[in-house]
Amino acid sequence: MLSLVTGGTGFVGAAVVRLLLSEGCAVRVLARRGSDLRNLDGLDIDLIYGDLLNRDSLRQAPKGCSRAYHVAAHYSLWEADPSVFYRVNVDGTRNLLEAATEAEVERVVHTSTVGALGYRDDGGPADEKTPATLDQMVGHYKRSKFLAEEEARQAAARGVPVVIVNPSTPVGPRDIKPTPTGRIIVDFLNRRMPAYIDTGLNLIDVDDVARGLLLAADRGRVGERYILGHRNLTLGEIFALLGQITKIPPPMVRLPYHVILPLAYANQWLSDRITRRPPRIPLEGVKMAKRRMFFNASKAVRELGLPQSPIEQALEKAVRWFTDHGYVEK
């Protein structure tokens, strides 16, 4: 069985590629020319070059594939040109779904994010049915992923065999970029985290996310969404776990939201007007942190059999990988 993986050079995509190979599946990875291919080193894959925004290059990618795992996305908290979020995440998803339909792929798994879900007014964990609107989406990344998920739902309504998964916050090895969450871990390891804001995240082992995508292809219901998450933790609790793993003292100063927000606005202004580089304190990240990103993944556990590996082990793997690959200063 041949499977297509978009975004296979990235954090989650590489975990999907490796899991498919471990189960004896043939894998085709779609990558842009010039992509960082380190996560694919030594893997027996069919690597083809193309671009989600180039329909002609995209047509060849899913041909002969029984399944397509659409993991590729533009993920960051700041860009000099915000249109890149909508071109890659929305238009790219539409193009990929059209190509998969034309190639008669039997099942497509669209990777969304919990950032595209709603939130509960009482602060409790949200689930797949928690209402959400585009106006509630903070920042271009979340807005674009919300719209991309709409593309997937509309395709499912037209008969395209699409299942949607919403990973929470993956942690683990091969976060080469790193992701914003990986950057938090790297900053902690380099003792650049003197204080933190009171927020919360739902963490899950990146390898469990990969397993969730494969389970969604096998057992997921077309048109349904599944939260791929595990453990809800405050940021303070995450730092405490990292402190236990590394023996580095966790930050003890918790900054109020109203203190960090003006600093984020100042950083944003500098990035937009002067440096044209990502802000040290991303405004969108701070705005997201106003609400704890807690989620309930029981539907995926119940219907898909999503594994729930210990978060301590996932954090240990992340720490070891970042340390072994030069992200930690000597």
Side-chain angles (χ1 to χ4, degrees):
M1 180 173 66
L2 178 62
S3 294
L4 171 68
V5 180
T6 70
T9 61
F11 182 35
V12 173
V16 173
V17 170
R18 289 169 182 268
L19 181 57
L20 286 166
L21 291 174
S22 73
E23 300 208 335
C25 298
V27 180
R28 177 179 294 158
V29 174
L30 175 72
R32 291 178 299 168
R33 291 198 179 276
S35 296
D36 186 340
L37 302 178
R38 284 178 292 166
N39 273 342
L40 302 178
D41 283 350
L43 300 184
D44 183 16
I45 60 169
D46 175 21
L47 177 64
I48 64 170
Y49 290 102
D51 193 308
L52 291 174
L53 302 183
N54 185 323
R55 293 186 179 185
D56 290 335
S57 71
L58 201 55
R59 283 196 181 96
Q60 297 300 317
K63 286 188 175 178
C65 295
S66 58
R67 290 179 177 175
Y69 298 91
H70 180 40
V71 189
H74 188 81
Y75 179 29
S76 71
L77 297 178
W78 179 87
E79 286 296 336
D81 178 11
S83 70
V84 67
F85 290 103
Y86 302 94
R87 288 186 282 109
V88 174
N89 296 344
V90 185
D91 298 344
T93 293
R94 185 186 309 117
N95 293 342
L96 184 279
L97 291 170
E98 289 176 358
T101 302
E102 185 179 307
E104 299 182 342
V105 174
E106 296 174 8
R107 184 60 59 96
V108 180
V109 179
H110 170 69
T111 308
S112 184
T113 170
V114 290
L117 302 177
Y119 51 81
R120 286 174 43 173
D121 291 335
D122 64 2
D127 62 21
E128 291 86 352
K129 293 184 178 180
T130 304
T133 66
L134 182 61
D135 290 340
Q136 290 176 330
M137 301 295 112
V138 176
H140 296 292
Y141 173 70
K142 291 180 68 171
R143 289 174 67 87
S144 66
K145 291 296 286 185
F146 181 91
L147 293 171
E149 194 173 310
E150 285 294 309
E151 293 287 339
R153 269 197 289 274
Q154 291 172 16
R158 296 193 303 269
V160 180
V162 185
V163 179
I164 300 165
V165 294
N166 300 76
S168 57
T169 307
V171 291
R174 296 179 296 277
D175 190 358
I176 59 175
K177 195 173 181 180
T179 61
T181 308
R183 174 55 58 190
I184 291 174
I185 297 174
V186 170
D187 284 346
F188 177 89
L189 295 174
N190 286 313
R191 294 172 168 82
R192 294 177 181 162
M193 195 64 67
Y196 66 96
I197 192 169
D198 182 18
T199 190
L201 299 169
N202 181 286
L203 299 190
I204 182 171
D205 190 314
V206 68
D207 293 323
D208 287 354
V209 173
R211 175 63 68 183
L213 265 77
L214 270 65
L215 288 167
D218 286 339
R219 306 175 185 176
R221 290 179 284 148
V222 170
E224 289 287 316
R225 54 161 43 152
Y226 296 89
I227 294 172
L228 305 184
H230 180 200
R231 187 170 167 189
N232 293 313
L233 293 165
T234 67
L235 193 53
E237 290 170 335
I238 293 170
F239 285 139
L241 289 176
L242 288 170
Q244 293 171 15
I245 293 166
T246 64
K247 309 307 178 187
I248 296 173
M252 302 302 293
V253 178
R254 189 176 67 185
L255 294 176
Y257 181 78
H258 70 270
V259 171
I260 198 72
L261 187 60
L263 297 176
Y265 271 108
N267 271 244
Q268 180 88 6
W269 185 88
L270 286 170
S271 294
D272 289 344
R273 303 295 180 85
I274 299 175
T275 68
R276 307 300 287 174
R277 295 171 61 84
R280 192 74 182 87
I281 305 175
L283 178 60
E284 289 188 5
V286 173
K287 287 183 175 180
M288 291 179 195
K290 188 175 183 179
R291 295 181 180 274
R292 293 183 175 182
M293 299 288 285
F294 285 173
F295 296 93
N296 179 351
S298 61
K299 178 181 176 181
V301 173
R302 181 178 65 253
E303 294 190 18
L304 305 182
L306 177 71
Q308 304 279 266
S309 302
I311 290 305
E312 292 84 355
Q313 293 180 13
L315 289 170
E316 286 175 6
K317 289 188 292 184
V319 167
R320 190 181 314 119
W321 190 88
F322 283 130
T323 302
D324 291 346
H325 289 81
Y327 289 78
V328 182
E329 298 170 359
K330 300 295 185 182

